[in-house]
């Protein structure tokens, strides 16, 4: 049972944080912020929330906004989740989306050269 709890918590936190970011946080115009994955600590005291930001040059602004709104986001998360403890969230900028975009650009260049 305990082995299944961490993946379930990861998915639950991911879904709820994504909803909160969509409805409650104002990001710079033309910015797409996606929750990529969540890694809860084994003791559930905290969780790393990996996000991707498009365009990439807005990432620092988005992280600043998230840090400024962390208290409000955490409060909303605490109200929505029916579990104790509710992990304290930490923001981490994920690079997978940026890498995938770069790979697609390179593949497009290769096809043009053919």
């Amino acid at each position: 049972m305990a082995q299944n709890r961490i993946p379930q918590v990861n998915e639950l936190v991911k879904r709820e944080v994504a909803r909160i970011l969509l409805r409650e946080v104002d990001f710079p115009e033309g910015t797409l912020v996606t929750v990529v994955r969540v890694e809860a600590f084994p003791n559930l005291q905290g969780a790393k929330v990996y996000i991707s930001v498009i365009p990439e040059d807005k990432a620092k602004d988005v992280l600043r906004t998230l840090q400024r709104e962390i208290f409000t986001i955490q409060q909303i998360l605490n109200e929505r989740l029916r579990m104790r403890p509710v992990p304290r969230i930490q923001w981490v900028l994920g690079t997978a989306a940026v890498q995938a975009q770069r790979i697609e650009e390179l593949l497009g260049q290769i096809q043009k050269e053919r």
Side-chain angles (χ1 to χ4, degrees), residues 9-67:
V9 169
N10 290 343
E11 192 58 36
L12 180 63
V13 171
K14 177 183 174 187
R15 185 175 58 239
E16 288 304 321
V17 168
R19 286 180 182 164
I20 293 168
L21 295 183
L22 180 65
R23 295 185 177 106
E24 306 293 333
V25 181
D26 292 326
F27 294 110
E29 186 72 28
T31 303
L32 175 66
V33 179
T34 307
V35 178
V36 178
R37 73 178 194 270
V38 173
E39 292 179 0
F41 301 161
N43 63 4
L44 297 179
Q45 295 298 314
K48 292 182 180 179
V49 178
Y50 292 83
I51 61 166
S52 69
V53 180
I54 298 175
E56 186 181 349
D57 61 340
K58 301 275 186 179
K60 288 186 180 182
D61 293 336
V62 167
L63 283 175
R64 253 186 258 119
T65 301
L66 290 173
Q67 279 306 115

Side-chain angles (χ1 to χ4, degrees), residues 52-56 93-103 105:
S52 69
V53 180
I54 298 175
E56 186 181 349
L93 189 59
T95 58
V98 174
Q99 291 172 347
Q101 182 179 5
R102 179 69 179 141
I103 290 170
E105 289 172 2

